[in-house]
Amino acid sequence: MAAPQAEQLKRVLKPVHLWAIAVGLVISGEYFGWNLGWAVSGTIGFLIATLVVTIMYITFIFSYTELTTSIPHAGGAFAYAYRAMGPIGGLVAGYATLIDFLLASPAIAISLGSYLHFLYPAIPIMQSAMLFNVAFIILNISGVKESATFSVVITILAVAELLLYMGVVSPHFKMDNYLSNPMPFGWAGVFAALPFAVWFYLAIEGVAMVAEEVKEPKKNIPRGYISALATLVALALGVMVLTGGITDWRKLSNLDYPLPEAIGIVLGKASGLTKVFASIGLFGLIASLHGTILASSRQVFAMARSGYLPRGLAGINHKFKTPHWALVAGGMVSFIAIYSGTTAQIIVLSVLGAIVMYLMSMLSLFILRKKEPKLERPFASPFYPIFPATALIISTVCLFAIIWFNLQVSGIFFAGLAVVIAIFVWMGKHKIALTDEMMAAPEYNH
């Protein structure tokens, strides 16, 4: 039972909001970033990497939904790992989730600034990235229902634009283009491309962060997750394959704006439609920036509420019932990362955080099945243990591939984790068992 004095988040979200938040969190991955995978693997090499990662996400989401519905807590993987593995397990999962979401936001903000700069060269990249960050922090403070309604509108526009894009480029698709030099780096390229394939789906798990704000979470969370995943798989495969067949794919493999460039090749750079398309392409990036700010703030809030971060960050705004200090703190991290200006490294760090979080979540699922067999599981992972085991194995392969091809960035991630664990142990927090009051997680089973 929650502590009487602890203020609760407001329960207002329905399946359509969850679909919009989940798709919105991810959809920028369809607009940029994934095409960098072509540069290291070729079209068929990247298709293989994407299909492997798609299988990982399908099995992961169906398994993760079991955790989200049986333990609907704003901390997501942090709460599941704490319950399964204790304080250190919770810390590792929480750290990984914070890296995942806190660094996805500045990566998307910089891309948004770059997109705007591409369209209107007078607009500076860094300043516009900062401005978007501030705007969405304010929107998120103003109330979760208001920000979720915005998610629905902006996500529908972003999905509609990708469908329009596929409709425009599909008549120009040529299989000869797509199969030209399909695997220039062989199977090594497939492994190198895995982080960029993950970018197609990265952050869908963020829906878990709003679990405490969902009406009837046990029924509505699975609906939101599954509809979102189906949408994203169709968009990712459609955009990737069609784009690869309209020209020499190498022309698009190192750009921050592959879709406007592809439309320009099909319709001509001078076409008014090309400019219009590039302008509305901002919707996908805006949707994801908004979603990652929402999700990262809930992670900061949940970890602060549990004493893993300064308690002041768990404050809830009396008027709007939103975690305003957690939003501001996340914004500060974004500002620092934006001014570091290393987008590629930020993306790899974010993906690394996500993969470690997926590993911790699947391990938590297996442990909780043994440790708490009577825990109410409104949505049980189908084909258990095959689905969570598949997600665990592919996540492990992805982890080793990312470390192998990004040793320096991986070193930063694991050094940070080691420092955090050392401070945690030095403060004696690993000896403190969190009570329900400290976790302040409402009981949903009664």
Side-chain angles (χ1 to χ4, degrees), residues 106 205 307 347 387 441:
E205 65 280 357
I347 287 175
F387 266 31

Side-chain angles (χ1 to χ4, degrees), residues 212-435:
E212 292 181 36
E213 296 158 274
V214 178
K215 283 184 177 176
E216 300 182 71
K218 293 173 180 177
K219 181 175 75 174
N220 290 337
I221 289 172
R223 289 179 180 174
Y225 262 140
I226 293 163
S227 60
L229 187 61
T231 303
L232 291 163
V233 170
L235 291 174
L237 294 175
V239 167
M240 175 184 61
V241 172
L242 290 172
T243 306
I246 59 165
T247 185
D248 179 350
W249 55 266
R250 283 163 288 205
K251 293 178 183 174
L252 304 172
S253 64
N254 282 303
L255 297 176
D256 281 338
Y257 42 87
L259 304 195
E261 187 71 16
I263 284 278
I265 290 166
V266 167
L267 300 178
K269 298 262 173 95
S271 166
L273 271 176
T274 303
K275 194 84 170 177
V276 168
F277 180 87
S279 299
I280 58 176
L282 297 170
F283 288 137
L285 297 170
I286 287 170
S288 288
L289 179 61
H290 168 62
T292 53
I293 287 173
L294 171 68
S296 63
S297 69
R298 270 39 177 195
Q299 184 67 19
V300 171
F301 163 76
M303 291 186 73
R305 186 174 63 177
S306 305
Y308 278 55
L309 290 172
R311 288 267 185 189
L313 296 177
I316 293 179
N317 184 282
H318 292 298
K319 182 178 180 184
F320 300 117
K321 300 294 182 191
T322 51
H324 56 303
W325 292 122
L327 281 157
V328 170
M332 296 304 293
V333 172
S334 269
F335 297 156
I336 293 164
I338 285 169
Y339 273 107
S340 77
T342 50
T343 315
Q345 287 190 331
I346 293 170
I347 287 175
V348 172
L349 268 173
S350 179
V351 170
L352 195 51
I355 293 295
V356 170
M357 191 270 274
Y358 301 160
L359 283 168
M360 295 298 289
S361 297
M362 293 303 95
L363 289 172
S364 299
L365 176 62
F366 281 114
I367 291 168
L368 287 170
R369 281 283 187 124
K370 287 271 171 67
K371 190 176 169 184
E372 298 190 44
K374 294 184 179 176
L375 177 68
E376 188 186 342
R377 292 174 171 87
F379 182 92
S381 171
F383 307 110
Y384 181 89
I386 294 168
F387 266 31
T390 302
L392 187 62
I393 290 164
I394 299 175
S395 296
T396 305
V397 171
C398 286
L399 179 64
F400 282 111
I402 294 167
I403 293 169
W404 181 262
F405 289 101
N406 304 277
L407 273 175
Q408 188 180 1
V409 174
S410 301
I412 293 168
F413 177 87
F414 288 108
L417 178 58
V419 169
V420 166
I421 291 173
I423 293 170
F424 189 74
V425 172
W426 175 70
M427 292 176 71
K429 295 220 174 231
H430 64 298
K431 297 176 182 173
I432 301 170
L434 297 182
T435 62

